[in-house]
Amino acid sequence: MTSIAENIAAIRDRMTAAARAAGRNPQEILLCGASKMNDAQACRDAVAAGIDCLGENRVQEMTRKLEQHAYDGVSLHFIGVLQKNKVRQVVGRVDLIQSVDSLPLLDEIEKHAAALGIVQKVLLEVNVAGESSKSGFAPEAVKQTVETILARPQRSISVRGLMSIPPAAAQKGANLPYFTKMHDLFVDIKPLLMDNKEELYLSMGMSGDFEDAIAAGSTMIRVGTAIFGARSYGAPS
Ligand SMILES: *Cc1c(COP(=O)(O)O)cnc(C)c1O
């Protein structure tokens, strides 16, 4: 079995090759480890190996691993389905909430961020393939949604870009049209969000399809299995 450090090095090589092939600068693409169901030590190993950020899916698991100092020294993101009643446990504890899938959720985040006196950075999740099993804004609604948000007096959230989870790729190239659609949307809303000089993100691409995502313009890939190995669901954690 290869180590987490070796896996990350191999992914970096593949990211570089994919970026070069697309005429892009490899340094403009972040590697975010999707560390769900992996323990605190696995997270620390990924941090030691130079991962750019770690993303968690479950509030309870993240809270436990925060107590175990799993993420010390790295940027922490929330990437999973977020229930409104758990927002309090996430706002201010992560640098970026990638999975904002509705305006009511955004409002709840805003409320808690305002109470803390912080600005919470978020991405809007887009249901790019219109899958009924997934949440997220419809692609057609993204630009209007951004305009709606920007027209509000809310100042405790900052929309930093878009995130998407297309269908599990059956074969190489299968998700390229979705990634291209996401990039088009990103280009569309970028001018609206550029006013403050902070970075904007297009988060897309996972273990099975990140090269296609990079070809289409992803600036952040979220990789789990290819870093940490297969997740053993049902095992005690
Ligand atoms: C688990 C997960 C990933 C990574 O998936 P892999 O296929 O294991 O690389 C990426 N994004 C989200 C939102 C996830 O839940």
Side-chain angles (χ1 to χ4, degrees), residues 32-36 55-58 78-81 98-99 125 163-165 203 205-210 221-231 233:
C32 188
S35 45
K36 59 175 174 275
E56 286 292 349
N57 288 68
R58 294 177 180 83
F78 194 81
I79 63 175
V81 177
Q98 295 201 14
S99 42
E125 181 172 349
M163 180 271 229
S164 190
I165 313 170
S203 172
M206 321 205 308
S207 293
D209 57 16
F210 69 80
I221 62 172
R222 308 175 310 270
V223 178
T225 319
I227 293 175
F228 299 106
R231 292 178 284 273
Y233 290 89

Side-chain angles (χ1 to χ4, degrees), residues 94-117:
V94 303
D95 292 309
L96 187 65
I97 302 176
Q98 295 201 14
S99 42
V100 174
D101 57 9
S102 73
L103 286 177
L105 176 61
L106 190 83
D107 290 341
E108 192 69 14
I109 294 169
E110 158 84 15
K111 192 176 87 188
H112 288 283
L116 291 173

